[in-house]
Amino acid sequence: MPDLLPDSEDTKHPTREEVFWSRCSPFNHKDRTECAPWLGHQLPAAYGTMVDPETGRQEYAHRMSWMLKHGRDIPDGMVVRHLCSNPACVRPAHLALGSYSDNAKDKLDAGRTRVLPDLTDDDVVAIRHAYKTERFSAGDLAELYFGTREGQPRITRIVNGQSHITLGGPITRRGRGNKAKRRT
């Protein structure tokens, strides 16, 4: 059985651009509104990621797209903004360099902010009671009070006593009370 051949100088490795564009969906260059979705690995928030073949570092796909188009690194303190509000898009025409505040303003203008509603004191007491009975998980309560499970960390802070401290302490024991004595 032959041994694996070692890399020689004439072995061609794919370039950074070849690796990048091989993982991008083809798009119509004439239609400037069409996004170019990333087909490679994506985070739960839909941002694409890839390993830069030149540096070996993990990079966001949209940042790599901007660096390939402009031929330079992204300056410190700057971010690559999605003008199309599609986090999976890597089309260079849909990306722009900006500050963190520019990016936050883009999110606000596009309605992509996730602001959870305020809870009343009665809501907090009811959440702690419902959680203590073991009938509801923190995710169930988040869905009930906020309409989405994204509020689960907030519910967890409430039941652990990390927030709304004046409305009772943390839930240290869960259940419906003392167990009945066993009959003999």
Side-chain angles (χ1 to χ4, degrees), residues 98-156:
S99 66
Y100 288 100
S101 59
D102 293 336
N103 198 31
K105 185 179 181 317
D106 291 344
K107 285 176 64 175
L108 185 65
D109 292 345
R112 291 185 286 130
T113 56
R114 295 184 180 124
V115 178
L116 299 174
D118 290 332
L119 297 172
T120 65
D121 292 348
D122 292 336
D123 291 337
V124 172
V125 171
I127 286 169
R128 285 186 174 151
H129 174 74
Y131 185 80
K132 187 174 183 176
T133 64
E134 291 186 339
R135 294 183 182 147
F136 298 94
S137 68
D140 295 337
L141 291 168
E143 200 165 322
L144 184 66
Y145 280 89
F146 303 126
T148 176
R149 287 187 171 261
E150 292 177 2
Q152 181 175 349
R154 189 167 167 196
I155 297 292
T156 302

Side-chain angles (χ1 to χ4, degrees), residues 19 70 95 132 158 169:
V19 170
H70 296 282
L95 304 173
K132 187 174 183 176
I158 289 171

Side-chain angles (χ1 to χ4, degrees), residues 63-93:
R63 292 173 60 89
M64 181 63 71
S65 176
W66 190 91
M67 289 188 289
L68 289 173
K69 178 173 180 1
H70 296 282
R72 61 188 174 103
D73 287 340
I74 298 164
D76 289 340
M78 301 297 277
V79 296
V80 177
R81 301 163 29 218
H82 283 94
L83 301 177
C84 59
S85 295
N86 178 2
C89 181
V90 293
R91 184 172 182 163

Side-chain angles (χ1 to χ4, degrees), residues 180-184:
K181 291 183 180 179
R182 190 173 185 146
R183 291 186 180 177
T184 55

